[in-house]
Amino acid sequence: MLRSMYSGISGLKNFQTKLDVIGNNIANVNTYGFKKGRTIFKDLISQTVAGASGSTATTGGVNPKQVGLGSQIAAIDTIHSGGSTQFTGNTLDLAVAGDGFFVVADGNATPPTAFSNPQYTRAGNFYMDNDGFLVNSDGKYIYGFADPAAATAADTAFTKADSAPVATTTATGTKPTFSGGAAEKPIRIPTNAQSMSVGQNGTVTFVDSEGTLRYAGQLVMVKFPNPGGLEKSGANYFRETSNSGTPFYSVATEQGMGKIESGFLEMSNVDLSEEFTEMIVAQRGFQANTRIITTSDEILQELVNLKR
């Protein structure tokens, strides 16, 4: 009886964890770039009552007799399938159609000239700060290749015009280099620019005060051999882990990276109908395990009553 009771307890704990994951998925159904979780169970150790035996000249073989002792969590996966895209019409709302993450990072100085502490995200709601730098809602700079001299305090434009430099990448796991020799720097738009746009390959251009189309930079993207190994660090960010593999940097539309859709945002990949179905199954599983515990308790009570 105690074995069945402890098996029921293990089931309760696991279904509670499953409900926690489902609850988090539902809570983030409208979170841009959110990737849903999935709970996988596996059985616990089994006690062997009698071992297997092979066939003989007079009898056939006998299978082992085992009693399972409950279940445990095998994995809590992050599912990196793409979410649906929502049209916003905002130029700096960017969705990735395909593989890859945006890279956001802190600046190393004021004004920033390089990056530190990079993190990865699929949430592409970006903005311009008061100095014209492209940032996310937390003020982190978008990882890109540019020369901030393209937008100095005097708002003089970088001489590179209407097209981005040709991107060439080196070995897997290294960052791309550009034929124009641009360094990794935050992308900045002059404060007096008339308009700006972001191409499908991440090229950022703007129309200066004189009506000339200018090049501002190109967004860098990253992907991993095992995106499921990334660690969620909150605020729509992922971090590299020892099991995510070496990050591969490139630009959109090249070397397996998805394209960037300006004016769209990627919604959560949570399917409410699927989550509600999983919630019903988890609820019934939880209830069934409570019945195991209460039934075991009733049987133990009957055994105690034998003494009366």
Side-chain angles (χ1 to χ4, degrees), residues 142-166:
I142 305 174
Y143 208 78
F145 279 78
D147 185 350
T152 63
D155 290 331
T156 58
F158 183 48
T159 55
K160 184 69 177 180
D162 56 3
S163 62
V166 178

Side-chain angles (χ1 to χ4, degrees), residues 10-55:
S10 70
L12 287 180
K13 291 180 179 178
N14 294 335
F15 279 109
Q16 180 60 63
T17 300
K18 184 178 180 70
L19 286 169
D20 291 341
V21 172
I22 292 171
N24 184 62
N25 288 343
I26 294 174
N28 286 282
V29 68
N30 285 326
T31 301
Y32 294 125
F34 178 79
K35 300 304 176 185
K36 65 183 179 181
R38 178 183 66 182
T39 309
I40 305 296
F41 295 163
K42 63 181 178 181
D43 67 334
L44 206 56
I45 191 172
S46 294
Q47 181 177 357
T48 301
V49 177
S53 61
S55 59

